[in-house]
Amino acid sequence: MATAVLLSSIGAAVATAAPVHSPILRAPAGGYQDLFVPSSMGPIKVQVQWARRGGSAALYVLDGFRAPADHSQWTTDTDALRQFAGDNVTLVFPVGGHSSFYTDWYRPSSTNRQTTTYKWETFLTQELPAFLERHGVSRTNNAIVGASMGGNAALTLAGHHRDQFKFAGSFSGFVHPTYPLWSEAMRVAMWDEGNFNVDDMWGPAKDPAWTRNDATVQAESLRGLPVYVWAGNGVPGPLDLPYGVGNTVNAMGLEAMATAATQMFRDRITALGITARVDVVNGTHTWPYWQQALATARPMILDALGAH
């Protein structure tokens, strides 16, 4: 964590008009560079660790529900940078998206004075790839993973954009949001986390946007794609000790929902005859477990991208 924070001071890069065909800067191993990428939402900060040997493959890594505005928690709360420091793949950590589910919303949230409409699918599949392409990153050889809120998004984005993503991974993702009454659970959670209005995201529960953004409903779109889905069973262990009793109890409850959704996703792909790796093991809704899940996914990601 200290290394990542220290190396983040190497400076930020801002978009320029002239095309560039190689990375702006090669951050030291285990470090990253802050970029500011134009979008319909305004400039979006993206933290990037460039491929070790100049390769063009990229791994997009999505944050969780409480995504901070100034950094990706993957760069501070996990060793993701170190895990891939020697690999020929660029790590891409979009910053922000608090309570967004990394999707295109219908309109700004009407309950918290939000002024900009979230357009995260547009950013992750159009604006950001176009920007990174100018710096030597392929638009068609990407992988995408996410934790919690980002898990379902990683699967649905990969399913809808097969020309871009060659691997998808969900860690403790709520991968079945259309399950009866779960829309109301999301309503409560989004209100609690920033006074966001779920109706401004996907409309009422019967709106087609809900099914379009449900990884379990959209499972057919993942056929033939390497997929890894991880969930804990809610049983705490030594990795939970630093978080205290209150946070651990909350993490156990959240993971119970993620586990139920993961099991329904597994049943769905089994019924469809779709191959994917699905692990349900000891763990809660906490960053150390997602760090472990990413480490498990790493060889699968490198294989899918040809990025060893």
Side-chain angles (χ1 to χ4, degrees), residues 126-137:
Q126 297 179 35
E127 296 161 340
L128 180 55
F131 180 89
L132 292 174
E133 185 179 38
R134 295 164 47 206
H135 304 296
V137 178

Side-chain angles (χ1 to χ4, degrees), residues 165-287:
F165 297 111
K166 308 304 180 190
F167 176 93
S170 169
F171 313 144
S172 299
F174 299 107
V175 294
H176 196 10
T178 63
Y179 188 73
L181 297 181
W182 280 17
S183 61
E184 293 308 305
M186 288 173 60
R187 181 185 302 279
V188 172
M190 291 171 67
W191 179 260
D192 183 64
E193 192 56 46
N195 295 340
F196 286 91
N197 186 353
V198 70
D199 294 331
D200 296 318
M201 180 171 70
W202 295 334
K206 298 298 183 182
D207 191 287
W210 282 85
T211 57
R212 186 183 185 277
N213 288 283
D214 185 312
T216 300
V217 174
Q218 298 295 329
E220 183 62 46
S221 69
L222 298 170
R223 187 179 296 275
L225 184 75
V227 169
Y228 178 50
V229 176
W230 181 98
N233 57 12
V235 177
L239 294 178
D240 295 280
L241 290 176
Y243 295 90
V245 174
N247 286 329
T248 298
V249 170
N250 185 52
M252 292 167 64
L254 288 171
E255 199 61 17
M257 288 186 65
T259 302
T262 296
Q263 291 169 335
M264 286 185 278
F265 175 84
R266 181 177 58 193
D267 292 344
R268 172 72 171 161
I269 62 171
T270 299
L272 292 173
I274 295 172
T275 301
R277 177 171 173 177
V278 180
D279 289 346
V280 178
V281 299
N282 287 348
T284 67
H285 210 75
T286 315
W287 284 101

Side-chain angles (χ1 to χ4, degrees), residues 111-159:
T111 49
N112 61 0
R113 299 182 180 179
Q114 187 180 24
T115 58
T116 302
T117 302
Y118 275 146
K119 293 292 181 182
W120 278 96
E121 179 173 355
T122 297
F123 178 69
L124 294 168
T125 62
Q126 297 179 35
E127 296 161 340
L128 180 55
F131 180 89
L132 292 174
E133 185 179 38
R134 295 164 47 206
H135 304 296
V137 178
S138 172
R139 298 183 67 156
T140 60
N141 193 29
N142 304 154
I144 186 167
V145 300
S148 188
M149 171 186 81
N152 182 71
L155 298 185
T156 57
L157 287 169

